């Protein structure tokens, strides 16, 4: 795997996963999941999203990919990032400036996410830290060029995956989720959180 990519299987045990899920339910109660749309075409993404943190990542037909401080439907500021996630960041991204954005992606059974690079951030100094909850997913990670060889990694509930160093700008995506592989989410599906630093520290 590309330098700077690190998989931490079972980072969160069952108790920590349930506690994090309870935190996320509070976030989603304030900042409901919504269906984002592609820049220009307005085509809906299959993943549903919301955010917590000072900034949230979003995309829609008129504004494209961006960070903003408010929920696109409620107009309210995003809820704060739960303390447990700030702690997780300081453990796996020690030395990096604090995260400003936590994108919450909800994958239903047939949701995929095409290969892409996370590059809407003003600073690339901090890693992207991803946390998975719920059903297993085949994650794909390659290199800095879309044509580079890729490999797949099974991300399971409680796993953490870090993309720092050279891997910060690596192509990655989700091939598919494996329905029925976790009991954590009552209705099934998968939640992935990605924590990111967006602005350059002062
Ligand atoms: C993402 O790249 O934004 C999400 C990756 C994942 O769902 O594991
Ligand atoms: Fe990504």
């Amino acid at each position: 795997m590309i330098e700077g990519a690190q998989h931490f299987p079972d980072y969160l045990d069952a108790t920590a996963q349930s506690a994090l899920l309870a935190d996320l339910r509070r976030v989603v109660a304030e900042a409901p999941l919504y269906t984002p749309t592609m820049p220009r075409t307005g085509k809906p993404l299959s993943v549903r999203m919301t955010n917590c943190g000072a900034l949230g990542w979003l995309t829609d037909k008129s504004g494209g990919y961006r960070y903003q401080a408010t929920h696109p439907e409620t107009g309210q500021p995003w809820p704060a990032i739960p303390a447990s996630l700030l702690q997780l960041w300081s453990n796996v991204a020690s030395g990096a400036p604090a995260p400003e954005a936590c994108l919450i992606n909800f994958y239903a059974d047939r949701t995929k996410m095409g290969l892409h690079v996370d590059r809407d951030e003003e600073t690339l100094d901090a890693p992207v830290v991803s946390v998975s909850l719920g059903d297993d997913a085949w994650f794909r990670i390659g290199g800095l060029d879309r044509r580079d060889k890729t490999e797949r990694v099974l991300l399971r509930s409680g796993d953490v995956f870090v993309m720092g160093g050279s891997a910060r700008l690596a192509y990655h995506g989700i091939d598919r989720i494996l329905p029925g592989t976790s009991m954590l989410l009552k209705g099934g599906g998968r939640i992935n959180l990605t924590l990111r630093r967006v602005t350059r520290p002062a």
Side-chain angles (χ1 to χ4, degrees):
M1 205 150 42
I2 185 168
E3 180 279 322
Q6 261 182 295
H7 183 198
F8 299 93
D10 293 320
Y11 191 90
L12 301 175
D13 64 17
T15 306
Q17 291 173 45
S18 301
L20 178 54
L21 187 60
D23 287 336
L24 296 177
R25 290 201 201 289
R26 284 187 284 272
V27 167
V28 172
E30 253 188 84
L33 288 164
Y34 62 92
T35 299
T37 55
M38 290 294 287
R40 294 178 302 277
T41 62
K43 185 177 182 286
L45 273 63
S46 60
V47 69
R48 290 196 297 147
M49 293 183 172
T50 189
N51 289 271
C52 52
L55 292 170
W57 186 88
L58 61 119
T59 171
D60 58 26
K61 185 176 163 124
S62 55
Y65 299 154
R66 64 194 185 277
Y67 281 94
Q68 73 176 39
T70 54
H71 190 289
E73 291 180 354
T74 68
Q76 293 300 115
W78 304 107
I81 298 177
S84 56
L85 289 173
L86 296 176
Q87 185 60 52
L88 188 153
W89 173 277
S90 56
N91 294 341
V92 299
S94 71
E100 295 172 297
C102 176
L103 173 64
I104 301 168
N105 282 153
F106 179 78
Y107 295 76
D109 288 0
R110 284 194 174 70
T111 308
K112 305 169 188 307
M113 187 176 289
L115 271 190
H116 66 278
V117 173
D118 290 8
R119 61 176 143 218
D120 298 319
E121 300 72 31
E122 188 182 297
T123 178
L124 299 170
D125 289 343
V128 172
V129 173
S130 125
V131 183
S132 296
L133 291 174
D135 285 336
D136 298 355
W138 283 115
F139 175 71
R140 186 166 290 282
I141 182 160
L144 303 183
D145 189 300
R146 187 180 277 282
R147 292 158 302 189
D148 289 347
K149 178 174 65 63
T150 62
E151 63 190 281
R152 60 179 202 169
V153 176
L154 188 67
L155 292 184
R156 310 196 67 197
S157 196
D159 287 9
V160 168
F161 198 92
V162 178
M163 292 184 285
S166 310
R168 179 62 183 76
L169 290 173
Y171 275 88
H172 61 279
I174 291 290
D175 288 355
R176 63 190 182 96
I177 75 158
L178 298 160
T181 47
S182 165
M183 301 283 278
L184 184 71
L185 306 178
K186 263 133 230 99
R190 171 177 185 257
I191 295 171
N192 177 263
L193 311 172
T194 43
L195 292 146
R196 305 190 187 98
R197 178 74 194 191
V198 180
T199 65
R200 283 186 207 95

